[in-house]
Each structure stands twice: as structure tokens, then as C-alpha cells.
Amino acid sequence: MGSLKATLCAGVAVVATTLIPTAYAVDGGSGGGEVSLTPSTPTPGAEVSLRVGGCVGKTATAASEAFVSDARLVGADGTLAGETRVRSALDPGAYAVTIVCADFRIKGTIKVVAASTSPSAPASPVAPVRAGGGGAAPLASAGEARADSPGTAHAVTGLVLAGLAAAAVALRTVRRSRGTE
């Protein structure tokens, strides 16, 4: 099951990096290699996908001061992929990234940009959320709240039920005091 998960992650990363522009491609010191990052210029707190081409091994590690934790890259056939998150309290700027493969080490940079001041999507719902289930659902919306109180039939039913409960308690008490229970 682990190899299937790794294959799916690698496939998703390859498709994503094909469709979305990459941040950088660096010259791989001793053995060559190409690195891509998606999104190309992440903001603090963003999740990023890394893809490395040219590694002989099946795993690699990407480390940077910009990342919350080192990214573990997995894959096959020389292409490794993984994900990590950019620190949320990070100042915008360029940060060094070191990727260690089985056969070489790649050094590059990641450019973190400031988050935009106008959000493209709200962080939380902007309208009331319909809650409840069954018969409670219509009562959950603000426009359909009931303003009337219980009527006379409800009051009489409540009094009859309370009287029956009191009579049952009294009957049980009388039986206990006689010792017939």
C-alpha cells in the first residue's frame, strides 16, 4: 500500500508541476538535476509541492529555513516528489533550499512573497449555515423562526402528563410503605 501511495503522490506532483508554473530550476552541483516548486512564489503558511528530476535513489530530503519541516521526497525512475508547508511567521524574501538525493546534493532558493491584502476567497462562511436535521432544519434558519407560543392544547396535555406522573409516584410510595412490593 505504501508504494501505491507514493506513486499516486508522485503522479499528482508531476501533473501539478506541468500545469502550474514552477518557481525555480537549479543546476545540480555534482550530478545534475532539476527542481521545481509549486506554487512558484508561495506566501507564508502556504503548502508547497517539490519535484526533483535526476535522482538515482527512491527518496530524498528537502530542507530549508523557510519550511515548517523537512520535505520527504519519494518516487521512482529518477523523479521524486513531496510536500511541505512554508512557515506562517516567515518574512518575505529568498531562502536557501538544500535537497539531498542518493547520488548528489542540489542547492537552490525559494522566494517567499507577502500574502495579498485582499483575500480571493473568504476564510469562513459569509452567510448563516443551515443547521439541524429532520424537523429542526426549517427552524434553524433566521427567516423562519417561530414567534408564537404553545397553545391551550399544549398546556392541558402538559398538566395531564404531570398529574399522571405525580399519581404514579404517590402510588409507588404507598406500596413501599405497606411493604407489598
Side-chain angles (χ1 to χ4, degrees), residues 31 41 70 78 81 92-93 96 98 110 163:
T41 51
D70 293 351
T98 302
I110 177 174

Side-chain angles (χ1 to χ4, degrees), residues 122-140:
S124 63
V126 293
V129 177
R130 291 183 64 93
L139 298 176

Side-chain angles (χ1 to χ4, degrees), residues 11 13 20 24 39 42-43 68-69 80 89 94 100 105 121 131 145 159 164 172 178:
I20 301 172
Y24 62 95
T43 59
V68 171
S69 63
L80 308 178
V100 179
R105 178 180 300 244
L159 288 173
L164 287 173
R172 185 171 176 100
R178 288 186 186 172

